[in-house]
Structures are given as C-alpha cells and as structure tokens.
Amino acid sequence: MGDLGNAYARLIPSKDTKVIVHCRTGHQASQTFFVLRNLLGYSNVLWYDGGWSEWAARPDLPLEHTR
C-alpha cells in the first residue's frame, strides 16, 4: 500500500467511509480526491470544489466557531 496509503488508512476507518475533501479554494482538494478515489480505492469520496472561500462568503450557510 505504501506510506501514503498507510497514512490514510490510519485516518479513515474503511474504504467505504464517507469522506468529504475541501480546502480554501478547491484546487488542492482535487488532488486529494484523485488520490483517494483513483489511486487508493476509497469508494465514497466527495469533493467540495467551491472550497472554504465560497462557503464562508455565503451568510446562509452554517459556520461553527471554535477556539
């Protein structure tokens, strides 16, 4: 499986677990989506392509503030 596969296996319980990847603008998340789906075989991966910049700009979408 390799180092990358082992690292994801420690974070994601199974290859069927729902995973939603996102980043600030959606570009970096596309790489993670590709790796998880096409190289590592995770079957339930979703990609929020708008990213945090789009989500945070919409006052109608929920936000949770943490310290």
Side-chain angles (χ1 to χ4, degrees), residues 23-63:
C23 64
R24 188 176 60 82
T25 62
H27 293 95
Q28 293 171 353
S30 66
Q31 296 169 355
T32 303
F33 175 85
F34 179 84
V35 168
L36 289 173
R37 276 298 284 239
N38 298 301
L39 301 181
L40 299 178
Y42 287 85
S43 61
N44 198 8
V45 182
L46 303 170
W47 167 35
Y48 180 61
D49 66 340
W52 174 246
S53 295
E54 179 183 287
W55 187 278
R58 291 187 48 191
D60 59 314
L61 296 176
L63 298 177

Side-chain angles (χ1 to χ4, degrees), residues 1-2 4-6 8-19 35-46:
M1 184 180 322
L4 187 59
N6 290 330
Y8 277 113
R10 286 192 298 273
L11 296 171
I12 304 170
S14 80
K15 299 248 178 173
D16 297 327
T17 300
K18 182 186 242 181
V19 177
V35 168
L36 289 173
R37 276 298 284 239
N38 298 301
L39 301 181
L40 299 178
Y42 287 85
S43 61
N44 198 8
V45 182
L46 303 170

